[in-house]
Amino acid sequence: MPAAAAKPMPNPKPLPTQSTAKRPVQLDLPYEPVLKRPLPAGRPRDWYITHNRRLKAMRLAIALLDSGVYLPGQARNATIRTTAQTIGVHPPSDTTCHMVRALMRYAR
């Protein structure tokens, strides 16, 4: 019998995209908010609305990923709104929830 066959095989390492956590990781709260700067003046109102919606969606997507929600299918509107309440953000609209799932989908 070859010597290599006698040795037990070590456990394979998890792939870099697999979670090694046994349960979802709790958020480290409270985070210190980022210093806010004034937005540039002279843009149409829709630009400001879209800009703020994107920022909120990014914050929520990051918080969901930190809490163990890795797939867009796991991020239902109720889950996103609960996360928003946890991190201290106003409840997002259906459009913002859709944008959060889109960010999670395209980040893969």
Side-chain angles (χ1 to χ4, degrees), residues 41-63:
R43 306 245 179 168
R45 179 172 166 72
D46 288 342
W47 184 89
Y48 296 104
I49 292 171
T50 304
H51 175 78
N52 289 331
R53 180 170 282 151
R54 286 179 183 155
L55 288 178
K56 181 187 255 186
M58 279 193 293
R59 286 187 192 108
L60 287 169
I62 291 167

Side-chain angles (χ1 to χ4, degrees), residues 8-20 22:
M9 293 294 291
N11 290 338
K13 285 183 163 180
L15 297 174
T17 56
Q18 290 178 326
S19 173
T20 57
K22 300 293 183 207

Side-chain angles (χ1 to χ4, degrees), residues 14-108:
L15 297 174
T17 56
Q18 290 178 326
S19 173
T20 57
K22 300 293 183 207
R23 60 185 187 282
V25 179
Q26 297 296 317
L27 295 174
D28 296 334
L29 292 179
Y31 282 116
E32 189 172 322
V34 179
L35 293 174
K36 293 186 177 182
R37 298 181 313 193
L39 294 174
R43 306 245 179 168
R45 179 172 166 72
D46 288 342
W47 184 89
Y48 296 104
I49 292 171
T50 304
H51 175 78
N52 289 331
R53 180 170 282 151
R54 286 179 183 155
L55 288 178
K56 181 187 255 186
M58 279 193 293
R59 286 187 192 108
L60 287 169
I62 291 167
L64 285 166
L65 291 169
D66 287 346
S67 67
V69 177
Y70 299 114
L71 299 174
Q74 296 173 323
R76 294 180 177 78
N77 287 358
T79 307
I80 295 171
R81 290 186 175 115
T82 303
T83 304
Q85 185 179 12
T86 303
I87 64 173
V89 175
H90 286 287
S93 65
D94 290 343
T95 305
T96 306
C97 291
H98 179 76
M99 193 177 286
V100 170
R101 285 188 290 275
L103 281 171
M104 293 174 76
R105 186 173 301 116
Y106 295 123
R108 299 195 80 190

